[in-house]
Amino acid sequence: MRTSSLLERTAKADATIAPLTIAATPYDWRDPADIPLRPWVYGRWLLRGTVTAVVAPGGIGKSTYLSATALALVTARDLLGKTTWGDRKRVWIWNLEDDLDELARSIQAAAKHFGLCASDIGENLFVDSAMEGTGLCTAIIGESGFEIKAPVFAAITAELIRREIDVLIIDPFVSSHEIEENDNSKIDKIAKAWGRVAKAANCAIVLVHHTSKAGAAEVTALSARGAVALVNACRSALVLNRMTLDEAQKLGIDGAERRRYFNVQDDKHNRAPAEVADWYRLASVNLCNGGHTLGDNIGVAEPWIVPDPFEDVSVDHLIRVQRKVAEGSYKAHHTAVDWAGLAVAEVFGLDVAIKPDKARIMAMLKEWQANGMFKLEERLDKNRQWKKFLAVDRWANDASATPVKGVASRDIAVEQPSATLHPPPVRGGGVAAAAGSSDQVSQPGGIDDPNDGGFEGFDHPPVGGLRKAV
């Protein structure tokens, strides 16, 4: 009887509740030209109302890179090869590891390197340090368990709005809360709280994060230390990777010097077109501080272009190399005294004893051989030993526009042959500049693999050139 009475009361209660109605909204057709552009702040990386993670191993230069990024934003100058959309931006750096003196060293070194003065910065840059008392804690485990510190987020939002901040950089994220970093559920809540702040303040927020013990492995978004929820909650994840030993060898860069080079790319691409990696070099700037001409040397990130071995190479150059090879006797291996690279060096005015020059020569010969300009012939040398020699396979001419390994395989339309068959590099620069300029790297390195001298597999491979055209 009691069970029956309970069922009756439940049925009567359900009858008094109005039915839930859900209605689908018809799509309102719009002219694409009238749809607002996404509110980009910096390149296709930082977007208003969203959070971006920066993932990098320790010591690579992420804080240095972000200092230069901040100056590019507050001056609206193309310091690092990225566009600052609109006018000068206001940036707030909140560092939780370094003191203000160390932060000032990094900022002032970058300003000195790029020729900036106080009036260029104006009142657009804000810097705080937890080491100087401006700490930050957004979440704790309290008496009642996990707790998002809502008043802290509210105060940050209010200050962002008051100061009209466009970009807030929290460095590092792990020091901004007291939660176990492997807890996906809690880290997800913190990351989404930052997302709500970005939306409310109409700014871009950057959370800097360390990698796990990745060793020599390539850094990806999944390399982020702790919970994967952080990068999952972010719109984009910028990853920093130091130049590998293999990349340095192919470019003729000394093994120790390579540590100055790193690349940055978005490993998520969930709203912006995929961008190829951007490369940077850590230049050394002397602050001449402390009353000494030899003051602190501080690293400053500057844009760097991967040299294109085929920059300014014409069909005439290739024909001249072919003639020299045909008239002489040149071995294929780069360690040989009579290596074919000597013929290339003579035509281009290069020196095989200089590692960047040798790397360029090896790249050219490898591509020319792949495209049928040269072939290997095994024959007796002057010591009656069988060796591999380089010989002309197909003579180059202006009609040689269909390569064996060509543009079609890279989803690029085949163009008509031109005088040089070589378009300008994607972002400028080249081997000639890299080898000849005092501002570029010309340190000796090495190429271990005698069968490999090209640039394949590089994150920002050179494009164009006779390796594609003939």
Side-chain angles (χ1 to χ4, degrees):
M1 179 70 74
R2 297 175 64 183
T3 302
S4 175
S5 175
L6 176 62
L7 291 175
E8 289 175 359
R9 290 198 302 271
T10 302
K12 289 179 181 179
D14 290 342
T16 63
I17 299 176
L20 179 65
T21 301
I22 297 178
T25 303
Y27 178 70
D28 185 15
W29 184 265
R30 301 168 67 181
D31 184 340
D34 295 333
I35 299 175
L37 183 70
R38 286 178 179 139
W40 295 108
V41 178
Y42 187 64
R44 298 280 178 171
W45 285 352
L46 303 186
L47 186 67
R48 291 188 187 278
T50 67
V51 178
T52 294
V54 173
V55 181
I60 196 173
K62 58 183 178 296
S63 297
T64 298
Y65 169 72
L66 289 172
S67 292
T69 299
L71 292 183
L73 284 162
V74 300
T75 61
R77 296 186 186 181
D78 186 8
L79 304 181
L80 297 178
K82 287 291 178 186
T83 301
T84 297
W85 295 76
D87 298 328
R88 301 198 299 176
K89 300 295 182 285
R90 307 193 108 197
V91 178
W92 183 5
I93 299 175
W94 199 338
N95 191 287
L96 308 176
E97 287 184 331
D98 299 320
D99 60 31
L100 288 176
D101 283 343
E102 193 59 36
L103 295 173
R105 291 184 186 98
S106 180
I107 293 169
Q108 295 302 146
K112 181 177 181 179
H113 183 69
F114 292 112
L116 303 177
C117 58
S119 60
D120 294 319
I121 309 303
E123 298 180 351
N124 296 316
L125 183 61
F126 302 83
V127 180
D128 284 289
S129 167
M131 299 297 101
E132 305 287 342
T134 313
L136 175 62
C137 182
T138 60
I140 61 172
I141 300 296
E143 294 181 358
S144 58
F146 173 69
E147 178 185 343
I148 290 283
K149 301 186 75 171
V152 173
F153 280 114
I156 292 173
T157 303
E159 182 66 0
L160 290 170
I161 294 172
R162 185 178 79 88
R163 294 287 193 179
E164 298 181 316
I165 300 295
D166 299 290
V167 177
L168 169 63
I169 300 172
I170 302 297
D171 183 9
F173 170 72
V174 69
S175 297
S176 68
H177 59 82
E178 296 180 357
I179 304 304
E180 165 56 45
E181 61 181 353
N182 291 306
D183 193 319
N184 269 296
S185 176
K186 295 180 177 63
I187 295 298
D188 177 69
K189 289 180 173 62
I190 299 172
K192 288 179 178 175
W194 279 114
R196 291 191 292 273
V197 171
K199 194 72 175 177
N202 193 32
C203 70
I205 292 179
V206 177
L207 301 179
V208 183
H209 198 46
H210 298 296
T211 60
S212 58
K213 300 295 183 180
E218 179 185 12
V219 174
T220 69
L222 296 179
S223 303
R225 196 172 74 184
V228 72
L230 173 62
V231 293
N232 286 345
C234 293
R235 185 207 69 85
S236 61
L238 304 184
V239 296
L240 279 65
N241 275 285
R242 181 174 283 120
M243 180 181 285
T244 66
L245 182 60
D246 181 61
E247 291 166 344
Q249 289 174 339
K250 289 179 178 179
L251 290 167
I253 294 175
D254 181 78
E257 183 70 11
R258 74 177 176 89
R259 297 181 64 84
R260 289 179 175 269
Y261 299 83
F262 64 93
N263 67 63
V264 183
Q265 62 180 336
D266 184 355
D267 199 42
K268 292 189 73 170
H269 309 306
N270 57 352
R271 293 191 190 179
E275 293 184 339
V276 295
D278 291 270
W279 280 89
Y280 301 92
R281 174 182 179 272
L282 290 177
S284 182
V285 175
N286 194 317
L287 290 179
C288 300
N289 56 331
H292 301 280
T293 55
L294 297 177
D296 292 324
N297 284 299
I298 307 299
V300 174
E302 62 179 5
W304 181 75
I305 308 299
V306 175
D308 182 351
F310 287 88
E311 184 179 5
D312 298 328
V313 176
S314 67
V315 175
D316 178 66
H317 286 119
L318 174 54
I319 293 174
R320 288 162 59 191
V321 173
Q322 287 184 314
R323 286 174 179 166
K324 285 188 174 296
V325 170
E327 293 168 357
S329 180
Y330 292 98
K331 291 190 179 72
H333 200 283
H334 67 90
T335 60
V337 175
D338 49 352
W339 175 43
L342 296 172
V344 181
E346 186 174 346
V347 169
F348 287 92
L350 302 175
D351 187 346
V352 297
I354 298 176
K355 293 304 174 68
D357 283 5
K358 186 173 184 178
R360 181 186 184 186
I361 293 169
M362 293 179 72
M364 288 191 284
L365 286 175
K366 180 178 181 179
E367 293 292 348
W368 284 336
Q369 185 179 337
N371 292 332
M373 299 295 98
F374 293 101
K375 62 182 178 181
L376 295 180
E377 289 185 351
E378 196 165 358
R379 58 177 184 260
L380 293 172
D381 65 3
K382 61 183 179 181
N383 296 320
R384 307 299 295 171
Q385 293 183 337
W386 289 100
K387 299 290 183 179
K388 290 181 180 180
F389 288 80
L390 200 69
V392 176
D393 189 5
R394 178 166 58 90
W395 285 92
N397 56 66
D398 287 337
S400 303
T402 306
V404 173
K405 179 175 62 178
V407 292
S409 65
R410 304 188 187 185
D411 298 323
I412 302 173
V414 178
E415 298 178 355
Q416 295 298 318
S418 64
T420 64
L421 299 176
H422 181 77
V426 171
R427 297 197 299 144
V431 170
S437 171
S438 60
D439 293 331
Q440 299 293 334
V441 175
S442 60
Q443 299 296 326
I447 300 177
D448 296 328
D449 185 355
N451 298 313
D452 188 9
F455 285 58
E456 286 81 357
F458 214 78
D459 286 333
H460 190 158
V463 297
L466 289 173
R467 66 197 189 285
K468 299 200 299 184
V470 291

